[in-house]
């Protein structure tokens, strides 16, 4: 293969154009790749700005040398992600960041005489909205928040049945959505801060307009018992299957057991009251009445003795009367128990265990008993468990790394192969162009450049002058042609002489 200098010297004008085009295209592609990699990422700092306020903020950032860009037709300001903290400090030191936040309970510091109850209600609502927004701003990953509340009218509290329940809407600023756990925490924070606000009445929206809460798992949604029941059952099935799979992996070996669990859960929260009566009564009230009468009689009947019963009179006429009455009111023993049953009780569950053929069949009863005890299988409530065997597919495991690393290596290899193919075809195209566009040299010059043996040259020495190769009919002899060639191209003559010297 000729070197680069020889290839460049033999290129035609068209070849130079093609080579220049390929070089320019390569430089453009490389520049675009470097530009895409080095392009900074921006995150929204503040939203809802007025044009005058935007100008002041951009001036403050320019003084600090912080890069920024305007969004939403100039109503939002975004800075580079690695300069968010410096931008906040710069705007706060200039007193510009406070005006962009909703005012909190500082609105309640000033009260006006003659303010109506409606104005007081609006001021309280604005203060509560701003305080919630400032609290949400402190959460990591949240660049800004705006809270809107709908509170019932305080004058209509006496009509509780017709009162509109409170609701809340939260708008989170930023290009990226926060984590689901953070969204759930924000929803609970807002619901716990507003009296009478239910979790299902809270709506959270991301900066790009997507609905973050209520989410797809049914969190906070009215009538979402079915969805939350499915989510709870899915979590239970996954946890139980993972626990049983880990236990079997330690006993039968890794990759030799597969466990599937399907459970029905009762996710309804109920309250139970129980009344129990005791066997023995407890005296609550007791009264006792005693009446006695004693007397001595003669021959005649004493006055008043006629009323004494005959069984109370003695033979000699003496009397002894006594009457005792006791009245007792007993209470009944009873016990009243109030208990709240938490949701999550297992109604029934079905477990399927699939084992590899390599597991001994004699160990299946012991495995079934161990799985039943670990999962808490109860036949009375309808639980079932099944164990079967079949040959598992052998999946080779790569020891060099994970699947993602293998895909990365494959991409790099494909890129390298593509680059080699591109260079190969480019070089081939240039060589074809160079071979097709270069002017053809005379045949006698090509023969002269080719190594000629000395014996053949001596045999041709007797050729008459003026008769020779192609192009010799112009009146010049071979000697003159060689001398002209030596004068114009001495390197070719030197190459021919070197070939003759090698032959000797």
């Amino acid at each position: 293969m000729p070197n680069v200098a020889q290839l460049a010297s033999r290129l035609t004008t068209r070849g130079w154009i093609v080579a220049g085009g390929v070089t320019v295209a390569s430089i453009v592609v490389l520049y675009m790749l470097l530009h895409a990699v080095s392009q900074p990422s921006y995150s929204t700092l503040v939203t809802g700005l007025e044009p005058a306020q935007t100008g002041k903020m951009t001036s403050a950032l320019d003084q600090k040398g912080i890069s920024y860009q305007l969004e939403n037709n100039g109503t939002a300001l975004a800075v580079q992600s690695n300069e968010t903290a410096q931008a906040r400090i710069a705007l706060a030191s200039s007193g510009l960041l406070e005006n962009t936040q909703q005012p909190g309970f500082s609105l309640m510091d000033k009260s006006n005489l003659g303010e109506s109850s409606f104005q007081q209600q609006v001021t309280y609502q604005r203060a509560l909205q701003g305080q919630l927004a400032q609290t949400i701003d402190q959460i990591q990953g949240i660049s800004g928040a705006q809270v809107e509340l709908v509170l019932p009218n305080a004058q209509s509290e006496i009509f509780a049945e017709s009162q509109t329940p409170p609701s809340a809407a939260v708008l989170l600023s930023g290009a990226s959505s926060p984590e689901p756990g953070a969204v759930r925490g924000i929803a609970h924070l807002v619901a716990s801060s507003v009296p009478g606000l239910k979790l299902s009445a809270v709506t959270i929206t991301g900066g790009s307009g997507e609905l973050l809460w209520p989410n797809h798992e049914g969190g906070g949604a009215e009538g979402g018992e079915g969805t939350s029941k499915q989510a709870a059952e899915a979590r239970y099935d996954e946890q139980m299957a993972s626990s049983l799979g880990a236990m079997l992996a330690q006993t039968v070996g890794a990759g030799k057991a597969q466990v599937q669990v399907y459970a029905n859960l009762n996710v309804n929260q109920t309250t139970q009251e129980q009344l129990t009566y005791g066997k023995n009564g407890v005296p609550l009230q007791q009264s006792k009445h005693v009446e006695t009468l004693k007397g001595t009689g003669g021959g005649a009947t004493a006055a008043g003795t006629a009323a004494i019963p005959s069984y109370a009179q003695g033979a000699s006429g003496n009397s002894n009367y006594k009457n005792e009455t006791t009245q007792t009111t007993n209470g009944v023993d009873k016990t009243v128990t109030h208990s709240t049953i938490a949701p999550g009780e297992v109604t029934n569950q079905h477990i399927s265990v699939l084992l590899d053929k390599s597991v001994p069949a004699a160990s299946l009863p012991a495995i079934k008993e161990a799985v039943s005890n670990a999962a808490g299988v109860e036949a009375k409530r309808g639980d079932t468990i099944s164990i079967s065997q079949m040959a598992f597919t052998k999946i080779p495991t790569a020891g060099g790394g994970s699947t993602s690393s293998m895909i990365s290596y494959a991409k790099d290899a494909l890129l390298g192969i593509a680059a080699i193919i591109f260079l190969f075809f480019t070089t081939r195209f240039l060589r074809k162009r160079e071979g097709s566009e270069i002017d053809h040299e005379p045949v006698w010059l090509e023969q002269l450049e080719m190594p000629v043996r000395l014996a053949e040259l001596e045999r041709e020495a007797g050729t008459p002058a003026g008769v020779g190769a192609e192009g010799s009919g112009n009146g010049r002899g071979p000697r003159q042609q060689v001398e002209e060639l030596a004068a114009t191209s001495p390197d070719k003559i030197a190459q021919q002489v070197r070939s003759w010297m090698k032959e000797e």
Side-chain angles (χ1 to χ4, degrees):
M1 176 181 291
N3 54 26
V4 179
Q6 293 180 355
L7 182 61
S9 63
R10 300 172 64 180
L11 282 177
T12 60
T13 304
R14 188 171 182 178
W16 278 109
I17 294 175
V18 173
V22 172
T23 305
V24 172
S26 302
I27 294 175
V28 170
V29 171
L30 181 61
Y31 172 77
M32 293 179 62
L33 291 176
L34 293 178
H35 182 72
V37 172
S38 61
Q39 188 70 17
S41 60
Y42 288 85
S43 60
T44 304
L45 184 63
V46 290
T47 57
L49 299 176
E50 297 180 356
Q53 193 174 11
T54 304
K56 295 179 181 179
M57 287 188 173
T58 54
S59 300
L61 295 178
D62 287 334
Q63 294 178 359
K64 298 296 182 179
I66 299 175
S67 303
Y68 63 88
Q69 67 178 10
L70 300 179
E71 297 177 347
N72 298 337
N73 296 326
T75 60
L77 184 65
V79 298
Q80 292 187 13
S81 301
N82 56 348
E83 296 181 348
T84 303
Q86 293 84 341
R88 285 183 178 275
I89 295 174
L91 296 179
S93 60
S94 302
L96 300 174
L97 192 59
E98 297 178 357
N99 298 330
T100 62
Q101 296 181 348
Q102 293 177 275
F105 282 112
S106 58
L107 291 174
M108 310 296 294
D109 296 339
K110 298 180 181 181
S111 59
N112 300 324
L113 294 176
E115 192 175 29
S116 63
S117 59
F118 176 74
Q119 292 176 338
Q120 293 178 355
Q121 177 72 12
V122 172
T123 303
Y124 169 75
Q125 181 173 340
R126 290 181 57 199
L128 185 57
Q129 291 176 171
Q131 196 68 27
L132 287 174
Q134 296 177 13
T135 305
I136 296 173
D137 287 344
Q138 300 177 7
I139 299 176
Q140 184 177 3
I142 305 298
S143 58
Q146 187 173 357
V147 181
E148 299 292 340
L149 299 177
V150 177
L151 302 179
N153 191 358
Q155 298 178 355
S156 62
E157 291 183 355
I158 55 177
F159 305 102
E161 296 180 356
S162 60
Q163 182 177 344
T164 303
S167 61
V170 181
L171 175 63
L172 302 179
S173 303
S176 60
S177 301
E179 297 293 333
V183 175
R184 189 180 304 108
I186 293 173
H188 283 272
L189 173 65
V190 175
S192 302
S193 302
V194 180
L197 179 61
K198 296 182 180 180
L199 189 62
S200 58
V202 178
T203 302
I204 301 178
T205 307
S208 57
E210 74 277 13
L211 183 64
L212 304 179
W213 183 272
N215 53 15
H216 64 281
E217 294 183 357
E222 290 291 345
E225 290 81 2
T227 308
S228 60
K229 181 177 185 298
Q230 295 176 0
E233 290 176 349
R235 288 194 298 268
Y236 176 85
D237 296 344
E238 182 179 358
Q239 294 175 0
M240 181 60 68
S242 177
S243 177
L244 296 177
M247 181 188 68
L248 292 177
Q250 296 293 330
T251 55
V252 301
K256 295 184 178 181
Q258 293 291 332
V259 182
Q260 293 292 332
V261 179
Y262 175 75
N264 292 320
L265 302 182
N266 183 10
V267 296
N268 298 325
Q269 186 174 2
T270 59
T271 303
Q272 182 179 7
E273 296 184 3
Q274 185 177 3
L275 178 62
T276 305
Y277 291 94
K279 296 181 180 180
N280 299 323
V282 178
L284 298 180
Q285 185 178 4
Q286 185 175 12
S287 60
K288 186 175 182 182
H289 178 73
V290 179
E291 182 180 2
T292 59
L293 179 62
K294 294 183 180 181
T296 302
T301 301
T305 58
I308 300 175
S310 59
Y311 61 84
Q313 297 180 3
S316 59
N318 295 330
S319 62
N320 187 6
Y321 173 76
K322 183 179 180 181
N323 184 16
E324 182 176 348
T325 304
T326 302
Q327 184 177 1
T328 303
T329 302
N330 293 328
V332 179
D333 294 343
K334 66 178 181 179
T335 303
V336 180
T337 303
H338 299 272
S339 59
T340 301
I341 302 176
E345 182 183 3
V346 179
T347 305
N348 55 64
Q349 59 180 345
H350 308 279
I351 302 174
S352 176
V353 181
L354 187 61
L355 300 175
D356 189 20
K357 279 290 187 180
S358 60
V359 179
S363 60
L364 296 184
I367 294 175
K368 183 175 182 179
E369 183 179 0
V371 172
S372 301
N373 295 333
V377 175
E378 297 180 8
K380 296 181 179 180
R381 64 183 182 187
D383 296 353
T384 60
I385 179 173
S386 62
I387 297 181
S388 56
Q389 283 185 293
M390 66 176 301
F392 284 8
T393 304
K394 302 298 181 182
I395 302 177
T397 58
S402 60
T403 305
S404 59
S405 62
M406 295 178 62
I407 295 176
S408 177
Y409 293 152
K411 289 182 178 179
D412 295 340
L414 290 176
L415 289 176
I417 293 173
I420 293 174
I421 293 174
F422 173 75
L423 293 176
F424 171 76
F425 282 104
T426 302
T427 306
R428 184 178 179 183
F429 174 77
L430 292 176
R431 294 185 65 183
K432 285 184 177 180
R433 285 292 183 181
E434 179 259 339
S436 61
E437 296 295 336
I438 193 169
D439 296 334
H440 292 284
E441 298 178 348
V443 178
W444 65 268
L445 184 58
E446 295 179 359
Q447 293 178 354
L448 183 62
E449 291 178 352
M450 295 176 57
V452 181
R453 294 184 177 275
L454 186 59
E456 297 178 359
L457 187 60
E458 292 176 351
R459 287 198 301 268
E460 295 178 358
T463 304
V467 181
E470 180 183 353
S472 61
N474 53 5
R476 294 182 301 171
R479 183 183 183 87
Q480 295 178 354
Q481 295 178 6
V482 172
E483 290 178 354
E484 292 178 1
L485 181 62
T488 57
S489 302
D491 53 341
K492 298 181 179 180
I493 300 298
Q495 182 179 3
Q496 182 65 42
V497 173
R498 281 195 298 267
S499 65
W500 290 344
M501 294 177 65
K502 290 180 181 179
E503 292 180 4
E504 295 179 356

